[in-house]
């Protein structure tokens, strides 16, 4: 019977009896029509569960009620309905859009595939319902789930009031609309209707990804509003009608000039792509060549709003009266619901970094090449070898390197998309990695010539000394006015420490030799002075009170150190007396002549027969004392020089003489960072690589330091730490980059998952799911870094802890929604998460129990469970197990015949839900609909259609589960007669009513049955009695001999193996 005849037979009458007829309680589920032929592919592609719901369940009722309610105001658009049906049928047939559920999906098998439930419900409910589905697509595209549900409530209420008003004014009202107006359409049903529509949109977007990207690039760069209306109901209905009529005209071959956003929103939501002409500063033609749109169906976008200059894109503002339980209407505006892959998010993060470095867009490629060159230098590889980015401990840097590589390759191929994403990151993701990006040092400080000079040295000591000498040069200090003090690491348990003093500015030495012009020959030279002394005396006593040692008790072989320095061309001496620290001032009594205040600047090389410079010699050393008392009586200082710390610390610092007359030192000391950051080498085509003279090992230590927090004194790598002290990344940026690296490890296994771009508007470091524990990287990043004890890396990079399962789900929820910052403590029992067209399942739920599954192993399934919002599935408490049968015939417990079989082929896992849900507070707005909720779920074991038990898989401690596997080769030389008694368990009843001997549960190769058996036994409190056999070759006799049964002593006839062996 046709829909028209059904309507006429049931609802015949006039408007005069409409009020009494409206009281008829009609079950809309009985009204079902044949879907338009263009939509036939949707129905055949849906799973049985979804098709039943769409044709007879709640979704069908909702579609019928909405279609009847709005029937009289839905425009007639036959061309649009036809084109849309053809397009969705084309989409659902594309590879990867609608996978079929299989055994590998376990309990989620019936939920796999594209969710076209609402669409098919509309198609089988009449043309008017399909028009309503197009409206649902518009709302799902423009608004989030909470706002869309609020709008639906307002639309239903507004239409009902409109119908009642029409009756009062004696206007013609369809009897079917009048009936629908008296039907209840619950908020929950509307939310489910919206959720199914969103799931389909996500799948369709991925199927039409190229067209969607091209369209969104246009829409994001224009300012175009929606037409106004008296209220929310009028605005939404008006936009919907305009969109349908406009699209119908296009599909009829009539060009359209667009001045409002409704038609443009429809293009995106309905996945129909006419050619576009955009009139701006210059005319842009975009050819989609969509075969469903006639060639003359061209959209011209020429009118831009002047009121939305600062906000580009389609802007739709509505007043929502049904969003919250309490309070007045809420003004809401559409947000950007664009989505990207994780690789694209990395490019956006790279753009955020470039923005903080103040890199111009014209230099993005050069900056990317520099980052890639940095990685090549660090790893000792060439650019062409960098196809795989294995971790070397610098995961935070690897994220940027991968993005840089993407940009380089895209530019080489002429693909502009990567560059556009980087530009987007610079514009729109300014605070994604840090609250204050302007405080970030460009290029990690590695384009500062002073830093580069310091990192050229092979050892950490010389790295720091070289850097301080560069600083002294920049401060224009005189040679005799500056000194560098370095404190060697004190050996454990030793009271002695070695101190090293070095010139900061080279001394111009003169000799008795002359050049061809007759002028004295000069040479620039540095000097060092070494002293080992008792630490206790150094802090408060002058040098002549210090106990001096010249051996290795201070941890340094002074003679060997002298030889090293001499090989560098520096004058070196071991001195008996050195400076001491007095209230922050370095006091040196009788310093070398070089620092003597009475000395002139002229080199003291004349006047001695050898002609060698004597400026560095120790001044007035006095006779050698026999003891401390003798030292005080024999030595009287004749001159004293005082130095103040200019840069660095007491362990490694640059000091200047208090008598220095160099201008600007006080200003330099007050603002040390200014000098260090003001000088950055500009990127050029030739300078986008790393200086080849930089030591790879010192670079390694430097990168370790710049991401460390400001800790207490560290004696390791003092030189590199000093350089890095002015270039440390801000702590929020470090945590944000670490969060990206953690998310990368998660999303590497989530093929096809996408991320909301709203995510980049807030700093990532505030994520509650981010593990805060750090540990040393487990090995050196590169074997070629192991050179020798002096030159090898001193530091190890820090890596984050592996995230737990709750942290992983919280991370995915944040990236899925772009806004949710959930507390992992609320997700301790979460076994799966559903959002739009994705189901994220804990790996242990889909794995054989013998496998070792990482805590952060989460797998993505294309599908939907049909619930609104983001749903966190948790297992029911105290799951049930069926009672034992009273029939003695069901348990055989036959002797084990040593055959590995799968006798549980009829076993399957099934997912269902109870009515218990718990919304999680996320934004504090107290809205009626929540973004995320806990949903109590039941995973049931069914065997040939019979219920066996419900499972709480997460209650199993898989890490401590007994696993049986051969550790050596079995030579098969055992006797055929079993040494112990074993029983075959070939049914669930035989497992539940266990034998007296060791039982072998024979489900070989059936991961679902093996997982169910382990979970049931653990649920019965028998975890200690269960072991899982390896899927590979095993030998029970070999296992008997090798199994550790330290917890009990079996009798001669008892097997040492656990009571239940799951094979």
């Amino acid at each position: 019977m046709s829909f028209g005849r059904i309507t006429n037979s049931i609802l015949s009458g006039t408007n005069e009896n409409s009020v009494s007829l409206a009281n008829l309680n009609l079950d809309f589920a009985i009204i079902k029509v044949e879907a338009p032929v263009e939509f036939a592919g949707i129905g055949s592609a849906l799973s049985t569960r979804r098709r039943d719901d769409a044709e007879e369940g709640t979704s069908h009722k909702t579609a019928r009620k909405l279609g009847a309610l709005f029937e009289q105001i839905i425009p007639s658009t036959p061309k649009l309905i036809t084109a849309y049906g053809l397009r969705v049928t084309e989409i659902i047939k594309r590879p990867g859009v609608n996978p079929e559920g299989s055994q590998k999906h376990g309990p989620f098998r019936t939920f796999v595939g594209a969710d076209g439930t609402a669409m098919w419900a509309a198609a089988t409910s009449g043309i008017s319902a399909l028009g309503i589905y197009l409206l649902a697509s518009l709302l799902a595209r423009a608004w989030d789930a909470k706002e869309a549900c609020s709008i639906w409530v307002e639309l239903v209420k507004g239409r009902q009031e409109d119908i009642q008003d029409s009756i009062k004014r004696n206007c013609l009202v369809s009897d079917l609309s009048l009936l629908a107006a008296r039907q209840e359409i619950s908020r929950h049903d509307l939310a489910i209707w919206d959720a199914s529509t969103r799931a389909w949109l996500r799948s369709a977007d991925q199927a039409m990804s190229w067209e969607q990207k091209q369209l969104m690039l246009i829409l994001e760069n224009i300012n175009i509003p929606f037409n106004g209306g008296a209220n929310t109901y009028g605005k939404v209905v008006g936009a919907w009608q305009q969109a349908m009529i406009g699209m119908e005209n296009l599909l009829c071959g009539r060009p359209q000039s667009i001045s409002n956003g409704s038609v443009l929103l429809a293009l995106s939501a309905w996945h129909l792509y006419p050619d576009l002409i955009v009139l701006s500063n210059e005319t842009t033609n975009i050819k989609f060549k969509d075969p469903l749109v006639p060639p003359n169906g061209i959209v011209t976008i020429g009118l831009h709003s002047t009121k939305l200059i600062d906000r580009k894109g389609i802007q739709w503002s509505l007043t929502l009266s049904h969003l919250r339980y309490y309070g007045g209407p809420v003004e809401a505006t559409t947000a950007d619901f664009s989505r990207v892959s994780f690789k694209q998010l990395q490019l956006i993060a790279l753009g955020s970094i470039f923005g903080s470095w103040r890199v111009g867009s014209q230099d993005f490629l050069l900056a990317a090449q520099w980052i890639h060159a940095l990685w090549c230098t660090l790893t000792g590889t060439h650019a062409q070898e960098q196809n795989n980015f294995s971790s070397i401990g610098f995961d935070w840097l690897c994220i940027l390197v991968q993005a840089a590589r993407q940009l380089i390759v895209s530019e080489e191929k002429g693909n502009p998309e990567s560059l556009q994403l980087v530009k987007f990151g610079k514009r729109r993701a300014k605070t994604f990695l840090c609250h204050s990006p302007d405080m970030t040092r460009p290029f990690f400080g590695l384009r500062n010539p002073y830093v580069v000079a310091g990192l050229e040295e092979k050892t950490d000591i010389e790295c720091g000394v070289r850097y301080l000498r560069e600083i002294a040069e920049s401060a224009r200090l005189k040679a005799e006015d500056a000194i560098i003090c370095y404190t060697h690491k004190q050996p454990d348990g030793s009271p002695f420490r070695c101190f090293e003093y070095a010139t900061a500015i080279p001394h111009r030495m003169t000799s008795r030799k002359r050049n061809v012009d007759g002028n004295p020959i000069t040479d620039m030279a540095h000097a060092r002075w070494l002293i080992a002394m008792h630490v206790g005396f150094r802090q408060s006593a002058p040098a002549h009170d210090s106990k001096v040692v010249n051996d290795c008790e201070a941890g340094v072989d002074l003679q060997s150190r002298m030889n090293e320095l001499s090989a560098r061309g520096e004058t070196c001496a071991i001195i008996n007396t050195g400076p001491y620290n007095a209230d922050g001032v370095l006091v040196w009594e009788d310093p070398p002549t070089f620092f003597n205040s009475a000395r002139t600047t002229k080199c003291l090389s004349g006047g001695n027969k050898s002609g060698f410079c004597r400026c560095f010699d120790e001044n007035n050393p006095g006779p050698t004392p026999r003891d401390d008392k003798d030292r005080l009586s024999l030595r009287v200082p004749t001159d004293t020089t005082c130095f103040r710390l200019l840069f660095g610390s007491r362990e490694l610092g640059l000091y200047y003489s208090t008598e220095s007359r160099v201008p600007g030192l006080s200003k330099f000391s007050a603002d040390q960072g200014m000098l260090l950051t003001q000088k950055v080498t500009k990127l050029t085509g030739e300078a986008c690589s790393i200086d080849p003279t930089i030591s790879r090992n010192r670079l390694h230590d430097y990168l370790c330091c710049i991401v460390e927090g400001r800790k207490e004194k560290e004696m390791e790598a003092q030189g590199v730490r000093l350089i890095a002290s002015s270039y440390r990344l801000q702590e929020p940026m470090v945590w944000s980059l670490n969060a990206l690296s953690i998310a990368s490890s998660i999303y590497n296994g989530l093929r096809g998952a996408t991320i909301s771009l709203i995510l980049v508007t807030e700093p990532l470091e505030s994520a509650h799911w981010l593990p805060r524990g750090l540990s040393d990287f487990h090995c050196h990043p590169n074997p070629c870094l192991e050179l020798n004890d002096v030159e090898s890396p001193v530091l190890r990079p820090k890596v984050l802890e592996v995230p737990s399962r709750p942290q992983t789900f919280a991370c995915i929820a944040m990236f899925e929604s772009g806004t949710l910052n959930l507390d992992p403590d609320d997700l301790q029992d979460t076994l799966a998460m559903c959002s739009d067209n994705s189901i994220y399942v804990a790996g242990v739920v889909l794995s054989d129990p013998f496998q070792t599954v990482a805590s952060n192993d989460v797998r993505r399934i294309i599908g939907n469970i049909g619930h609104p919002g983001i749903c966190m599935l948790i297992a029911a408490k105290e799951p049930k197990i069926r009672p034992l049968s009273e029939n003695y015939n069901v348990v055989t417990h036959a002797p084990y015949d040593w055959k590995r079989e799968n006798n549980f082929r009829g076993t399957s896992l099934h997912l269902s839900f109870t009515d218990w849900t718990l919304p999680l507070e996320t934004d504090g707005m107290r809205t009626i609909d929540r973004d995320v909720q806990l949903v109590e779920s039941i995973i049931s074991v069914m065997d040939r259609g019979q219920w066996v038990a419900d499972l709480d898989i997460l209650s199993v401690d898989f890490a401590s589960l007994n696993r049986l596997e051969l550790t050596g080769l079995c030579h098969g030389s055992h006797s055929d007669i079993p040494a112990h008694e074993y029983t075959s368990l070939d049914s669930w009843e035989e497992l539940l009513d266990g034998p007296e001997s060791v039982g072998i549960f024979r489900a070989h190769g059936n991961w679902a049955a093996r997982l169910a058996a382990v979970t049931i036994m653990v649920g019965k409190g028998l975890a200690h009695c269960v072991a899982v056999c390896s899927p590979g070759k095993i030998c029970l006799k070999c296992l008997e001999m090798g199994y550790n049964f330290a917890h009990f002593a079996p009798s001669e006839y008892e097997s040492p193996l656990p009571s239940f062996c799951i094979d």
Side-chain angles (χ1 to χ4, degrees), residues 537-786:
F537 290 102
R538 176 174 167 78
Q539 301 302 323
S540 59
H544 54 263
D545 286 345
S546 304
K547 181 179 179 180
V548 180
V549 293
N550 285 328
D551 53 29
C552 294
E553 291 183 85
V556 178
D557 187 334
L558 299 184
Q559 189 59 51
S560 297
R561 179 63 178 156
M562 281 188 62
N563 295 338
E564 293 174 13
L565 296 172
S566 298
R568 293 176 55 87
E570 297 194 24
T571 302
C572 186
I574 298 175
I575 57 178
N576 293 323
T577 60
Y580 63 92
N581 195 290
D583 298 326
V585 177
L586 197 65
V587 180
W588 199 343
E589 296 177 349
D590 287 330
T593 308
F594 183 73
F595 297 111
N596 194 311
S597 60
R599 184 183 77 85
T600 63
T601 57
K602 186 177 180 181
C603 178
L604 300 180
S605 58
N608 62 77
K609 296 180 180 179
S610 64
F612 294 118
C613 175
R614 304 299 302 272
C615 296
F616 300 139
D617 291 355
E618 188 173 9
N619 187 33
N620 189 24
T624 303
R626 295 187 296 271
D627 52 28
D628 289 342
K629 182 177 180 180
D630 194 25
R631 180 190 307 276
L632 292 174
S633 63
L634 289 176
R635 186 176 183 280
V636 178
T638 60
D639 187 51
T640 300
T641 300
C642 297
F643 299 90
R644 291 189 181 277
L645 183 64
L646 178 67
F647 185 80
S649 65
R650 291 174 60 177
E651 282 69 32
L652 176 59
L654 172 64
Y655 290 78
Y656 70 97
S657 172
T658 56
E659 298 181 7
S660 173
R661 298 180 180 179
V662 177
L665 287 183
S666 58
K667 182 179 179 180
F668 176 89
S669 180
D671 192 5
Q672 301 161 357
M674 181 61 68
L675 175 68
L676 300 177
T677 58
Q678 65 185 359
K679 193 168 185 178
V680 177
T681 304
K682 186 177 180 180
L683 282 173
T684 63
E686 296 78 19
C688 60
S689 60
I690 301 299
D691 193 316
T693 61
I694 285 183
S695 165
R696 187 184 309 150
N697 298 319
R698 301 289 71 79
L699 176 63
H700 170 277
D701 288 345
Y702 177 83
L703 293 175
C704 289
C705 287
I706 64 172
V707 295
E708 288 185 357
R710 298 185 181 276
K711 304 177 181 178
E712 63 277 1
K713 290 182 180 179
E714 292 281 358
M715 294 304 296
E716 291 184 335
Q718 290 188 63
V720 171
R721 286 185 190 279
L722 174 66
I723 300 177
S725 62
S726 298
Y727 298 97
R728 284 193 176 94
L729 298 184
Q730 297 179 70
E731 188 172 350
M733 178 170 285
V734 174
W735 284 112
S736 293
L737 290 173
N738 281 328
L740 270 183
S741 69
I742 288 292
S744 175
S745 66
I746 294 172
Y747 271 80
N748 280 341
L750 303 179
R751 183 179 178 183
T754 56
I755 298 161
S756 172
L757 268 185
I758 301 175
L759 177 74
V760 304
T761 59
E762 295 294 334
L764 195 56
E765 61 91 17
S766 60
H768 297 324
W769 54 263
L770 182 58
R772 299 291 173 172
L774 293 172
S775 59
D776 288 335
F777 190 63
H778 67 277
C779 63
H780 270 301
N782 195 322
C784 67
L785 296 179
E786 301 276 5

Side-chain angles (χ1 to χ4, degrees), residues 63 123 193 278 369 436 545 733 757 766 829 861 885 891 909:
W193 170 262
V278 182
Q369 291 170 343
S436 304
D545 286 345
M733 178 170 285
L757 268 185
S766 60
D829 299 325
I861 296 174
S885 173
V891 176
L909 303 180

Side-chain angles (χ1 to χ4, degrees), residues 393-439:
F394 296 98
D395 294 343
W396 62 270
L397 178 59
C398 188
I399 289 292
L400 301 178
V401 175
Q402 290 172 344
R405 182 62 179 167
Q406 285 187 68
L407 179 59
I408 294 170
V409 173
S410 294
E411 288 298 297
E412 290 174 351
K413 295 180 178 179
N415 182 1
E417 182 182 358
S418 294
L419 182 60
Q420 290 167 347
L421 286 165
V422 176
K423 290 180 178 179
F424 178 89
K426 182 181 179 181
R427 295 192 318 270
R428 304 279 290 277
K430 295 181 185 296
T431 61
F432 180 44
L433 300 178
C434 187
H435 287 281
S436 304
D438 293 338
M439 301 293 292

Side-chain angles (χ1 to χ4, degrees), residues 267-478:
L267 300 182
S268 170
W270 301 340
H271 300 96
L272 297 170
Y273 306 99
D275 294 343
L276 304 179
I277 299 176
V278 182
L279 304 178
S280 185
N281 295 331
E282 57 182 24
T283 301
T284 304
N285 294 289
I286 297 92
K287 299 287 186 180
F288 285 102
K289 299 181 180 179
D290 190 335
L292 297 181
V293 182
N296 293 333
I298 300 174
V299 173
T300 301
I301 307 172
L303 298 179
H304 291 203
S305 172
T306 59
K307 298 180 180 180
L308 299 170
I309 297 176
D310 296 332
R311 302 186 63 184
K312 292 187 177 181
I314 298 176
Q315 302 297 324
W316 195 1
S317 297
L318 296 175
T319 301
L320 307 182
S321 301
H322 295 80
L323 184 63
R324 300 185 298 186
Y325 286 107
Y326 180 79
V330 177
E331 295 290 336
T333 303
T334 51
D336 184 3
F337 293 103
S338 301
R339 303 188 69 85
V340 294
S341 66
F342 192 85
K343 287 187 176 180
Q344 291 172 323
L345 181 67
Q346 288 178 273
L347 287 165
I348 293 173
L350 183 66
S352 180
I353 285 285
F354 286 169
S356 68
W357 289 355
R358 296 170 289 281
V359 177
S361 58
Q362 71 279 5
D363 292 329
F364 280 174
L365 183 59
L366 293 176
Q369 291 170 343
W370 182 89
I371 291 177
H372 193 251
L374 172 65
W375 186 261
C376 292
T377 300
L378 184 64
T379 57
T381 57
H382 298 289
Q384 55 269 27
E385 300 175 11
Q386 288 295 333
N387 294 322
N388 296 318
F389 297 91
S390 58
S391 174
I392 60 171
F394 296 98
D395 294 343
W396 62 270
L397 178 59
C398 188
I399 289 292
L400 301 178
V401 175
Q402 290 172 344
R405 182 62 179 167
Q406 285 187 68
L407 179 59
I408 294 170
V409 173
S410 294
E411 288 298 297
E412 290 174 351
K413 295 180 178 179
N415 182 1
E417 182 182 358
S418 294
L419 182 60
Q420 290 167 347
L421 286 165
V422 176
K423 290 180 178 179
F424 178 89
K426 182 181 179 181
R427 295 192 318 270
R428 304 279 290 277
K430 295 181 185 296
T431 61
F432 180 44
L433 300 178
C434 187
H435 287 281
S436 304
D438 293 338
M439 301 293 292
T440 304
R441 306 299 190 208
F443 300 97
F444 310 123
L446 290 173
R447 295 201 64 79
N448 184 304
Y450 309 145
V451 174
V452 172
L455 296 180
E456 289 176 351
E457 299 294 336
K458 295 186 179 301
T459 64
D460 180 74
I461 298 176
E462 301 308 323
C463 181
V465 172
R466 173 75 178 277
Y467 180 67
L468 290 177
R469 285 173 171 170
E470 296 291 333
I471 297 298
E473 290 274 4
S474 68
R476 298 183 179 180
L477 293 174
K478 296 180 180 179

